[in-house]
Amino acid sequence: MNFSFFNPTKVFFGIDCISNYDNHFLDIGKKALIVTGKSSAKKTGAYNDIISVLKKYNIDHVLFDDVSENPNFEIIERAKDFGIKNNVDFIIGIGGGSPMDAAKALAVLIANPDFDVEDLYNNNFDKALKIVEITTTSGTGSEVTQYSVLTDMDNNKRGFGNFKTFPYISFVDPKYTLELNFDLTLTTAVDAMSHSIEGLISNTSTDLTDLFAKKSLELIKNTLPIILSSESNLNDLSLRNDLSLASMYAGMVISQTGTVLPHVLGYGLTSNYGIRHGVATALFQLPVIRKINSENPQKLDTLYDVFYSFEDFNNFINDLNLDRYCTKLKSEDIDSFTKNALNSKHIKKTPATFTYDDIFSFYSEVCK
């Protein structure tokens, strides 16, 4: 058995963790660029909590709150110019995956002002500002990964990341996820589920990542159907705690393994049809697992420790009714998405043989 494990992010988990561990801001920097979207940071209370800490330690800040879902290069360039103009020396990302991923990009770009966004994809940088991440969803796991996914000017989702884009500190407070409605709870949770499943099946998985993945999937299997069953359960802090843990564990998984085929299959649905990333990825778990089950079933042993059998897993996925978010795809788009998947690095890490016809049929299956 040979493997390595490197994750330098210091994580604080639990209710009021920002105020309970605020002393960690003493030596992080003098002026923060807070990166977030229009509403979630303030609506959840996370923004006010972090401002209180910054004021306590006389740390200046500026706010960039124009990060959209699936942020594109233009938004990142604007935020970079804003950060450089204001002489910031560290970054705070607040929100779901989009603001947290944007924070990582900006940490590199502001530290390397001669870079443009395209330069990030060389992964050839060894300098970045310190990054603080505060998650308000339970899905992306970006608070514990080095990865940042942005949308380029051709509407393609592309990821980068190296050891310098791991967050310096992350705060995971389940109370911030109480504001999530049914749809966001579901679509973010299945993103975490996908991360754990893909980590398990990846050719780069290890016994250690399997431990995190198995625990994440157990929490999701036991929690998600309950939290979605009633309006009152959406406000259950204990259930929110479990989903936040599951998401963080799943992030730890992909920080080591990366993602595999279902992720790249989902990118086109998000970029071209507006289907949320978590759903777009989760839709392809069944067909990919079915193919692995027929060719390389031993790779699914840990998955079946949680779901017992392919039929059990199939029933769990079908009960989520993810096809409610689907739309019929154009045949020319299916062709383009299929060719893109066949040329991706993701497929090389997926333990089965996938042909053009296989992948074309996956799209036809999930988006009828």
Side-chain angles (χ1 to χ4, degrees):
M1 185 185 302
N2 296 288
F3 67 89
S4 63
F5 186 96
F6 175 76
N7 192 308
T9 301
K10 182 177 288 186
V11 181
F12 297 104
F13 185 98
I15 306 302
D16 299 328
C17 56
I18 291 178
S19 59
N20 289 339
Y21 298 100
D22 63 9
N23 60 304
H24 288 269
F25 284 88
L26 281 169
D27 61 353
I28 197 168
K30 296 181 179 179
K31 189 172 186 179
L33 170 61
I34 298 177
V35 181
T36 188
K38 286 294 185 187
S39 61
S40 66
K42 294 179 180 178
K43 186 177 179 182
T44 60
Y47 179 76
N48 287 338
D49 286 349
I50 198 66
I51 293 301
S52 295
V53 171
L54 297 180
K55 287 181 178 178
K56 178 179 178 179
Y57 292 111
N58 297 311
I59 300 171
D60 200 2
H61 75 278
V62 290
L63 173 66
F64 185 88
D65 62 354
D66 202 23
V67 177
S68 62
E69 189 172 356
N70 307 306
N72 62 29
F73 284 16
E74 186 272 332
I75 289 172
I76 300 301
E77 289 286 3
R78 281 198 289 114
K80 170 198 169 184
D81 292 343
F82 178 73
I84 291 173
K85 178 182 177 181
N86 283 279
N87 297 309
V88 302
D89 59 3
F90 73 105
I91 312 291
I92 301 174
I94 309 176
S98 295
M100 289 194 288
D101 285 7
K104 295 172 188 176
L106 292 167
V108 179
L109 292 171
I110 294 172
N112 301 273
D114 293 336
F115 281 21
D116 60 28
V117 181
E118 192 65 44
D119 291 322
L120 297 171
Y121 293 89
N122 298 324
N123 274 323
N124 187 25
F125 50 85
D126 58 8
K127 186 167 59 173
L129 303 185
K130 287 181 177 177
I131 305 162
V132 177
E133 300 283 31
I134 303 167
T135 181
T136 61
T137 68
S138 47
T140 72
S142 186
E143 68 273 11
V144 290
T145 79
Q146 69 276 48
Y147 299 119
S148 171
V149 178
L150 307 174
T151 301
D152 68 18
M153 302 315 291
D154 295 321
N155 209 31
N156 298 309
K157 290 173 72 71
R158 296 165 57 194
F160 74 93
N162 72 16
F163 70 104
K164 279 295 182 179
T165 46
F166 275 105
Y168 177 64
I169 300 174
S170 285
F171 295 95
V172 184
D173 188 333
K175 74 180 181 184
Y176 297 146
T177 67
L178 289 169
E179 294 292 332
L180 296 176
N181 60 24
F182 177 97
D183 283 327
L184 283 173
T185 299
L186 173 58
T187 58
T188 54
V190 295
D191 192 16
M193 178 194 73
S194 295
H195 292 158
S196 288
I197 292 171
E198 292 180 45
L200 281 177
I201 64 179
S202 172
N203 290 329
T204 59
S205 68
T206 70
D207 281 6
L208 190 54
T209 58
D210 284 358
L211 288 174
F212 284 115
K214 182 180 179 182
K215 182 61 177 177
S216 173
L217 290 172
E218 287 173 345
L219 288 167
I220 291 167
K221 181 184 180 184
N222 294 330
T223 300
L224 186 58
I226 297 172
I227 202 170
L228 295 176
S229 66
S230 71
E231 189 72 28
S232 61
N233 285 345
L234 289 172
N235 299 313
D236 187 311
L237 193 54
S238 176
L239 295 173
R240 291 293 182 185
N241 181 88
D242 286 354
L243 283 184
S244 293
L245 272 175
S247 177
M248 186 187 70
Y249 290 150
M252 295 294 286
V253 173
I254 62 168
S255 77
Q256 310 301 308
T257 66
T259 54
V260 294
L261 183 56
H263 252 69
V264 73
L265 294 177
Y267 284 162
L269 303 189
T270 299
S271 297
N272 296 79
Y273 290 87
I275 298 173
R276 287 187 180 276
H277 168 70
V279 169
T281 301
L283 284 168
F284 293 98
Q285 299 300 326
L286 271 179
V288 171
I289 293 296
R290 185 185 302 117
K291 191 71 158 47
I292 297 171
N293 195 60
S294 66
E295 290 188 18
N296 197 1
Q298 67 273 16
K299 198 70 174 121
L300 302 175
D301 286 349
T302 304
L303 179 68
Y304 294 153
D305 284 345
V306 179
F307 289 100
Y308 310 130
S309 67
F310 179 79
E311 290 71 24
D312 186 36
F313 177 63
N314 181 81
N315 291 338
F316 180 84
I317 296 294
N318 287 336
D319 286 347
L320 296 175
N321 193 21
L322 296 177
D323 57 4
R324 77 186 83 182
Y325 302 102
C326 286
T327 186
K328 188 173 178 60
L329 307 182
K330 299 175 183 176
S331 58
E332 59 268 30
D333 285 339
I334 297 179
D335 175 69
S336 173
F337 298 162
T338 299
K339 290 175 180 175
N340 183 55
L342 287 170
N343 291 323
S344 72
K345 62 183 180 182
H346 297 73
I347 199 169
K348 296 178 177 65
K349 297 194 298 181
T350 311
T353 302
F354 298 91
T355 66
Y356 177 95
D357 289 342
D358 289 329
I359 294 177
F360 195 97
S361 71
F362 294 167
Y363 281 107
S364 302
E365 173 184 340
V366 304
C367 295
K368 302 180 182 66

